Amino acid sequence: MADQKPEIFELNNGTMNVQLTNLGCTIISLSVPGKDGALADVVLGLDSVESYQKGLSPYFGCIVGRVANRIKEGKFTLDGVEYSLPLNKPPNSLHGGNIGYDKKVWEVVDYKKGETPSITFKYHSHDGEEGYPGDITITATYTLISDTTMRLDMEGVPKDKPTIINLAQHTYWNLAGHNSGDVLNHSIQIWANHLTPVDQNTVPTGEIMPVKGTPFDFTTENRIGNTIGQVGMGYDHNYVLDCGDEKAGLKHAAKVRDPSSSRVLNLWTNAPGMQFYTANYVNGVNGKGGAVYGKHAGLCLETQGFPNAINQPNFPSVVVRPGEKYQHSMLFEFSIE
C-alpha cells in the first residue's frame, strides 16, 4: 500500500462527467446537464488533492468509515469485549475516528472506460485501526450505468473477527451548481415516516419518532428553506427509510429538485437510514474555482445504518461476522423536470 499515491480519475460517458480521487474514494466534481443543456458541477469540492490531504475538507465527497456518523462517547461492546475509539468530535467518535477511510489512499483495482465507465477502489483496514476490531477488506465501485445515472456499490468483508461496519458517501450536493450559493430554494422529498431524534450531542436517543406534524416531515416535497429555521442550526438527522417504492432491490430514499436549473436528483439505496444534512457547519470554506462555501451551501444525503446503532439494541444491527458480507448500494439518478 505504501506505493499508492493520490491521483485523479475521470468517469465520462459523454453526458455526465465525474472526477474522483483514490484519497478517500472522493468525488471531486460531478457535472450533469440542466434545463438549457448547460453542464454544471453539482458537488462541493476543493481545488486540489493536496487541499484534501491537508484536511481542509469537511468530508466533501468522500466515503467515511469504518463506522459513519457518531458513536456515543466512543465506546461500544461486541461479544462481551469493550472497545474505545478516538473522540475526534468530543464527546463522541465521528466518521471512523481521527484517520478514517476518507483520509486513506485506496488502491485502484479496476478502471474501465467506454459507455459504462467504472472504477473500483480497495482498502485493507487492519485489526485495531482507530480502535475498531478485526481486519476487513473494503471495496467501492462507482459506475456510470446510463447517461445521467451513477451507481455506487460498497462492500466490506471481515477476515477472522466480528466487527462493525457502516460506510457512508458524504457528497455535498448543490443542483444549481457548486458555487451558486445556498440550497434553501431546493425542495426535497424523503421517503421516511420516522426519524431518530437526537440528544444535545447529536446522538440518537434510541427513539423512533414519527415526522408527521413536525418540521422534519418531507413525506411530500417541500422547500428546504420553508422549515429549516424551525430546527436549530439546520437539518442533521437520520431518517428511517420505511416507505419508498423498490427498484432492483433498492428503495427510493430521496428526491431533490432545484427550481433554477430544473435539475432533479433521485436517490435509491438498500440502507435502512439516511442522514439529511444541510451543511450547517460549513463556514467560509475555500473551494474549487475560487468558490467560497458558506452555511447551507450544499446538502448531504448519507444513506447509512442508524447512528450509534451498536449501542442501541432496537436499531438495525451493524455487526458483521466472518463469513458475512457488508453490502451497501446507492443509485444517483439525475434528470430535468
Side-chain angles (χ1 to χ4, degrees), residues 264-300:
V264 170
L265 167 58
N266 277 284
L267 174 61
W268 303 72
T269 187
N270 63 345
M274 183 187 80
Q275 193 84 4
F276 173 43
Y277 173 53
T278 47
N280 311 327
Y281 301 105
V282 174
N283 180 11
V285 176
N286 291 309
K288 55 196 171 186
V292 178
Y293 303 129
K295 189 176 182 182
H296 309 318
L299 58 89
C300 300

Side-chain angles (χ1 to χ4, degrees), residues 192-198 205-217 237-240 242:
N193 288 318
H194 300 83
L195 58 68
T196 52
V198 294
T205 60
E207 187 190 350
I208 308 277
M209 182 187 92
V211 296
K212 191 172 182 172
T214 75
F216 298 100
D217 186 350
H237 295 78
N238 172 61
Y239 281 76
V240 179
D242 54 9

Side-chain angles (χ1 to χ4, degrees), residues 14 25-26 36 57 85 110 147 175 216 254 311:
C25 300
T26 301
D36 47 5
S57 155
L85 310 172
D110 193 40
D147 278 359
L175 297 183
F216 298 100
N311 293 314

Side-chain angles (χ1 to χ4, degrees), residues 177-220:
H178 75 98
N179 55 351
S180 65
D182 67 49
V183 293
L184 299 183
N185 261 336
H186 285 46
S187 58
I188 189 168
Q189 182 171 1
I190 302 174
W191 277 269
N193 288 318
H194 300 83
L195 58 68
T196 52
V198 294
D199 65 17
Q200 70 277 15
N201 296 316
T202 329
V203 175
T205 60
E207 187 190 350
I208 308 277
M209 182 187 92
V211 296
K212 191 172 182 172
T214 75
F216 298 100
D217 186 350
F218 290 101
T219 50
T220 54

Side-chain angles (χ1 to χ4, degrees), residues 39-335:
L39 284 177
D41 177 1
V42 296
V43 307
L44 275 54
L46 304 182
D47 56 1
S48 66
V49 171
E50 291 73 34
S51 298
Y52 291 90
Q53 284 178 298
K54 287 177 190 159
L56 302 178
S57 155
Y59 299 103
F60 284 163
C62 58
I63 289 178
V64 293
R66 180 172 308 198
V67 173
N69 218 295
R70 289 159 182 83
I71 292 181
K72 187 175 184 175
E73 294 167 2
K75 285 189 169 35
F76 69 94
T77 300
L78 181 58
D79 293 350
V81 181
E82 185 172 290
Y83 296 93
S84 288
L85 310 172
L87 304 182
N88 60 313
K89 181 91 173 171
N92 304 306
S93 193
L94 177 70
H95 291 334
N98 292 319
I99 307 174
Y101 296 171
D102 61 297
K103 296 173 181 68
K104 299 288 186 181
V105 179
W106 297 45
E107 185 185 353
V108 177
V109 290
D110 193 40
Y111 184 28
K112 294 190 182 84
K113 304 210 169 178
E115 275 182 33
T116 53
S118 68
I119 190 163
T120 300
F121 301 106
K122 185 177 188 176
Y123 177 64
H124 291 286
S125 183
H126 61 80
D127 183 24
E129 185 179 314
E130 292 295 312
Y132 289 95
D135 286 287
I136 57 173
T137 301
I138 304 281
T139 55
T141 301
Y142 293 90
T143 309
L144 304 188
I145 62 169
S146 71
D147 278 359
T148 54
T149 303
M150 178 176 74
R151 183 176 173 118
L152 169 60
D153 295 290
M154 297 174 270
E155 288 191 352
V157 179
K159 187 179 170 191
D160 49 17
K161 268 171 94 168
T163 189
I164 56 176
I165 308 177
N166 182 18
L167 305 180
Q169 216 299 337
H170 208 299
T171 291
Y172 290 69
W173 303 98
N174 185 326
L175 297 183
H178 75 98
N179 55 351
S180 65
D182 67 49
V183 293
L184 299 183
N185 261 336
H186 285 46
S187 58
I188 189 168
Q189 182 171 1
I190 302 174
W191 277 269
N193 288 318
H194 300 83
L195 58 68
T196 52
V198 294
D199 65 17
Q200 70 277 15
N201 296 316
T202 329
V203 175
T205 60
E207 187 190 350
I208 308 277
M209 182 187 92
V211 296
K212 191 172 182 172
T214 75
F216 298 100
D217 186 350
F218 290 101
T219 50
T220 54
E221 190 178 312
N222 194 12
R223 180 178 168 274
I224 294 168
N226 290 355
T227 47
I228 197 169
Q230 301 168 48
V231 295
M233 290 271 297
Y235 292 97
D236 191 6
H237 295 78
N238 172 61
Y239 281 76
V240 179
L241 301 174
D242 54 9
C243 57
D245 45 327
E246 281 210 16
K247 178 170 73 173
L250 304 181
K251 292 176 300 193
H252 208 170
K255 177 182 182 176
V256 183
R257 181 198 305 269
D258 164 52
S260 68
S261 66
S262 302
R263 280 188 197 88
V264 170
L265 167 58
N266 277 284
L267 174 61
W268 303 72
T269 187
N270 63 345
M274 183 187 80
Q275 193 84 4
F276 173 43
Y277 173 53
T278 47
N280 311 327
Y281 301 105
V282 174
N283 180 11
V285 176
N286 291 309
K288 55 196 171 186
V292 178
Y293 303 129
K295 189 176 182 182
H296 309 318
L299 58 89
C300 300
L301 306 167
E302 306 158 58
T303 62
Q304 61 182 2
F306 296 1
N308 197 38
I310 186 62
N311 293 314
Q312 291 291 356
N314 61 318
F315 285 3
S317 175
V318 291
V319 175
V320 186
R321 299 184 178 279
E324 298 173 345
K325 189 190 326 190
Y326 167 89
Q327 203 279 324
H328 179 181
S329 294
M330 305 174 77
L331 198 64
F332 303 90
E333 286 185 326
F334 295 92
S335 57

